[in-house]
């Protein structure tokens, strides 16, 4: 939340931006026009190296999807 607040963005936008900067592919889905616009509004800021490391440190090695 602190990173999102520092950039004036939502947590979801920060996570999408992290994926983009880390070279991962994220495919967010929504039928809500406001959420779609929010998902696209990630190109006007950049996470610092320190912020990227802070988010990466949240990885516990657990997966939540059931494919």
């Amino acid at each position: 939340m602190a990173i999102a607040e520092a950039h004036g963005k939502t947590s979801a936008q920060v996570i999408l931006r992290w994926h983009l900067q880390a070279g991962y592919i994220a495919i967010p889905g929504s039928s809500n026009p406001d959420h779609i616009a929010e998902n696209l509004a990630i190109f006007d800021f950049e996470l610092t190296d320190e912020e990227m490391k802070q988010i990466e440190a949240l990885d516990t090695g657990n997966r939540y999807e059931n494919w």
Side-chain angles (χ1 to χ4, degrees):
M1 291 295 299
I3 294 171
E5 289 174 10
H7 291 280
K9 298 292 182 178
T10 66
S11 295
Q13 288 173 307
V14 168
I15 295 303
L16 288 172
R17 183 65 202 191
W18 179 83
H19 278 86
L20 179 71
Q21 281 184 228
Y24 299 118
I25 297 171
I27 304 172
S30 180
S31 59
N32 181 317
D34 291 334
H35 290 167
I36 294 169
E38 180 181 294
N39 290 340
L40 291 172
I42 62 169
F43 298 100
D44 60 347
F45 75 105
E46 190 170 310
L47 299 172
T48 66
D49 289 341
E50 180 60 32
E51 290 169 334
M52 292 290 290
K53 289 176 187 173
Q54 287 175 358
I55 295 169
E56 187 175 317
L58 298 173
D59 182 12
T60 63
N62 294 323
R63 296 224 177 251
Y64 298 101
E65 67 275 343
N66 295 314
W67 300 34

